[in-house]
């Protein structure tokens, strides 16, 4: 209320839910929160990562889709990557990967929003680059996602490279 947001708006945005017994509660309790911005730097949703090993619930949790938050049409970090002027975009698995790469100077890094790569996301990247560097984990799930993403990028007319990091997940 302090910032002028009504309970109804907070609930509709998926940041809290009403419960008769407990009142207003949030599923983002004890999570690191990541604001998700569109390409014009407007916050359109939130992602949360669980803090402790003993906490219940999924490791990552996004706010639900709304009129302005469509996970299949946005990418985490794209608001910065689109102006990086590096000639390519690095596609990572998650928020923490994007943040680490941005801190290291790779401001062309982006990630999907808790879903597999979509054609719409590939088209969004195509607006700003002709080449994508895939930087998924090297585990079996990451390799499967890499093969799937290579096909989507190929269908979208994007050149694809795969970054192989030795000694890490």
């Amino acid at each position: 209320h302090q910032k002028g947001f009504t309970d109804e708006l907070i609930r509709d945005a998926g940041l809290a839910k009403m419960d008769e017994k407990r009142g207003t509660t949030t599923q983002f309790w004890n999570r690191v929160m990541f604001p998700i911005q569109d390409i014009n730097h407007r916050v359109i949703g939130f992602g949360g990562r669980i803090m402790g090993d003993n906490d219940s619930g999924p490791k990552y949790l996004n706010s639900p889709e709304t009129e302005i938050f469509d996970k299949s049409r946005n990418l985490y970090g794209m608001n910065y990557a689109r102006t990086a002027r590096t000639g390519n975009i690095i596609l990572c698995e998650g928020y923490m990967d994007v943040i680490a790469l941005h801190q290291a100077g790779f401001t062309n890094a982006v990630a999907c929003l808790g879903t597999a790569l979509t054609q719409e996301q590939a088209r969004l990247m195509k607006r700003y680059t002709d080449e994508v560097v895939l930087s998924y984990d090297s585990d079996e799930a990451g390799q499967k996602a890499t093969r799937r993403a290579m096909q989507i990028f190929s269908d979208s007319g994007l050149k694809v490279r795969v970054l192989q990091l030795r000694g890490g997940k």
Side-chain angles (χ1 to χ4, degrees):
H1 295 285
Q2 201 172 7
K3 298 286 183 183
F5 300 106
T6 65
D7 287 348
E8 183 180 37
L9 182 61
I10 292 168
R11 191 175 53 249
D12 289 348
L15 298 176
K17 52 189 168 192
M18 294 299 292
D19 183 293
E20 283 188 26
K21 281 186 180 177
R22 294 180 285 179
T24 304
T25 61
T26 179
Q27 63 272 32
F28 293 109
W29 175 255
N30 206 28
R31 290 178 185 267
V32 175
M33 297 301 295
F34 302 91
I36 299 167
Q37 299 175 336
D38 66 12
I39 59 168
N40 296 311
H41 303 285
R42 295 176 298 209
V43 175
I44 57 172
F46 293 92
R49 187 188 190 287
I50 214 153
M51 290 290 295
D53 295 331
N54 298 331
D55 292 333
S56 61
K59 184 176 180 181
Y60 286 96
L61 183 67
N62 284 333
S63 53
E65 293 197 346
T66 63
E67 289 179 35
I68 61 169
F69 181 43
D70 182 343
K71 294 176 206 176
S72 67
R73 295 181 187 275
N74 291 282
L75 290 157
Y76 185 74
M78 192 65 186
N79 52 319
Y80 296 107
R82 74 183 183 105
T83 58
R85 309 275 188 255
T86 58
N88 60 30
I89 290 174
I90 301 170
L91 179 62
C92 308
E93 283 200 25
Y95 310 128
M96 298 297 286
D97 298 327
V98 171
I99 290 168
L101 282 168
H102 280 239
Q103 286 177 330
F106 297 94
T107 58
N108 56 327
V110 301
C112 295
L113 299 168
T115 60
L117 177 70
T118 66
Q119 288 286 350
E120 292 90 351
Q121 290 167 328
R123 281 194 288 275
L124 176 61
M125 286 184 251
K126 180 78 172 144
R127 287 171 47 191
Y128 303 104
T129 191
D130 291 322
E131 180 181 272
V132 175
V133 177
L134 285 171
S135 180
Y136 285 163
D137 291 347
S138 60
D139 59 14
E140 192 171 327
Q143 289 179 16
K144 183 178 177 184
T146 295
R147 288 190 295 275
R148 186 178 175 282
M150 289 174 71
Q151 184 62 54
I152 289 172
F153 288 132
S154 176
D155 293 346
S156 300
L158 283 157
K159 182 179 176 183
V160 184
R161 293 178 185 235
V162 178
L163 181 63
Q164 292 182 314
L165 300 173
R166 307 219 188 286
K169 185 177 145 194

